[in-house]
Amino acid sequence: MKMRKMLAVIMAAVVSLSIGACGADSSGSGSSNAAPSGTAAASNNSEKKIVLGFAQVGAESGWRTANTTSIQESAKGAGIDLKFSDAQQKQENQISAIRSYIAQKVDVIAFSPVVETGWDAVLQEAKDAGIPVVLTDRAVKMEGGKKAEDYYVTFLGSDFRLEGERAAQYLLDNASKLFPGKKEISIYELEGTVGSAPAIDRKEGFDKKIVTSTDVKFNIVKSQSGNFTRAEGQQVAESWLKSDADKMDVLFCHNDDMGLGAIQAIEAAGKKPGKDIIIVGIDGVKGAFEAMAAGKYNCSVECNPLIGPQLMDIVRKIMDGKTADIPKRIESEEGVFTQEQAAAELPNRKY
Ligand code: GYE
């Protein structure tokens, strides 16, 4: 009797243990479905999520915020596991984020390089690890004759030189209306982050185009960086206005945020932005449209930050082994908007 009882207890224990194990098993495979690194997901390729490491520049402008949202939302929509980092406009932070993505063996790395140079070592490390790299928005330059194109699959972004040319073209086309009777126009140029592709290229495009004017003469009197932020744009404009408030005809800003900061400085100096001082910016952010509709801003050249969906398509193509089909440069379509169009366009603006 004693023996039988003992056996029954042992049997019951074995049964309950195996049920427990069964339960644990099924819930285990359930959770590994959700988590891409689980055993079930690893053994079944169709369930394995693509992991994309994205090293963002920062959150310096309205453009950047819209760009970040676009990337995060489209990764979610595409079912891509996004590892995201914000470098606060510091190159060393971006480099360490990229190094951590390499260490984590992500499938693809994408980043928007804060400045053009200084990426040689980390791009080599990504290449050695066999991790494809996509450049978004800003370009890189390599040292010692190395070809940057050999280190990334594609560049997805805008033609910054063209944007600078378009800003100049607006002034060339509207000179007689904006500056009636004037033969010499003084321009103050608020540059973007020193060493960044958009600051270098927008300056080159604008400066070269503006001197082609035949009827009036445009002079770039001062040019200084406002680091693409509202606060620094305002500060630089303030310091210029202290001595040059009556000389300043045009403020050309490498992005709208700096122009919006400058509006405050201009008003504080007792001048009318958009009338006494003509403001031309780049990006096409909502704030610029609102300022244009209020008559305080004159023109914004569009630069499209909503490149998340295109980036996710590129990542999928790479993972499908179609890297060879991806062009080395993919550009977004952009327009130019003036005060006259601002009110009608405002409801259509997405950023
Ligand atoms: O124009 C500016 C941002 O790289 C195109 O960066 C981007 C620029 C954009 O801070 O607002």
Side-chain angles (χ1 to χ4, degrees), residues 45-254:
N45 268 339
S46 64
E47 282 176 16
K48 191 179 176 286
K49 268 193 169 185
I50 297 169
V51 183
L52 168 66
F54 188 88
Q56 181 61 290
V57 170
E60 72 281 3
S61 64
W63 189 99
R64 189 64 56 196
T65 312
N67 180 244
T68 291
T69 308
S70 172
I71 287 159
Q72 289 173 333
E73 283 178 356
S74 50
K76 214 172 181 191
I80 288 173
D81 183 6
L82 177 70
K83 300 198 180 298
F84 183 90
S85 61
D86 171 343
Q88 299 177 337
Q89 295 229 73
K90 292 198 180 77
Q91 183 172 34
E92 64 266 31
N93 292 348
Q94 260 190 318
I95 290 176
S96 50
I98 296 169
R99 290 210 164 113
S100 94
Y101 297 148
I102 296 172
Q104 290 171 61
K105 298 187 168 59
V106 301
D107 295 309
V108 179
I109 291 173
F111 77 112
S112 173
V114 58
V115 290
E116 281 190 335
T117 55
W119 304 101
D120 297 47
V122 78
L123 284 175
Q124 187 64 54
E125 288 163 33
K127 196 174 187 173
D128 293 344
I131 302 177
V133 171
V134 176
L135 295 184
T136 62
D137 148 45
R138 296 186 182 181
V140 297
K141 283 207 173 90
M142 308 283 281
E143 283 148 30
K146 274 178 277 175
K147 272 172 73 192
E149 293 81 18
D150 294 341
Y151 292 82
Y152 62 81
V153 175
T154 184
F155 165 88
L156 166 65
S158 307
D159 183 339
F160 300 137
R161 197 164 292 113
L162 183 64
E163 291 169 353
E165 286 172 9
R166 284 177 171 161
Q169 193 62 52
Y170 166 77
L171 292 169
L172 300 182
D173 292 346
N174 295 283
S176 58
K177 193 178 82 195
L178 295 169
F179 320 102
K182 272 206 150 189
K183 285 286 158 221
E184 293 235 3
I185 317 289
S186 298
I187 301 179
Y188 290 67
E189 183 168 354
L190 264 173
E191 296 178 27
T193 301
V194 176
S196 70
I200 295 167
D201 294 351
R202 285 171 182 168
K203 181 168 181 59
E204 197 183 298
F206 181 88
D207 291 11
K208 280 198 178 146
K209 186 91 194 175
I210 204 71
V211 295
T212 62
S213 168
T214 48
D215 34 359
V216 293
K217 192 165 182 294
F218 286 98
N219 302 310
I220 299 170
V221 180
K222 285 182 182 167
S223 192
Q224 195 181 318
S225 172
N227 203 22
F228 281 133
T229 68
R230 235 176 232 239
E232 285 173 74
Q234 182 174 349
Q235 274 166 27
V236 176
E238 252 163 32
S239 75
W240 284 340
L241 286 159
K242 271 187 197 136
S243 48
D244 295 11
D246 293 330
K247 276 194 241 161
M248 193 184 286
D249 297 313
V250 176
L251 194 64
F252 165 52
C253 314
H254 287 190

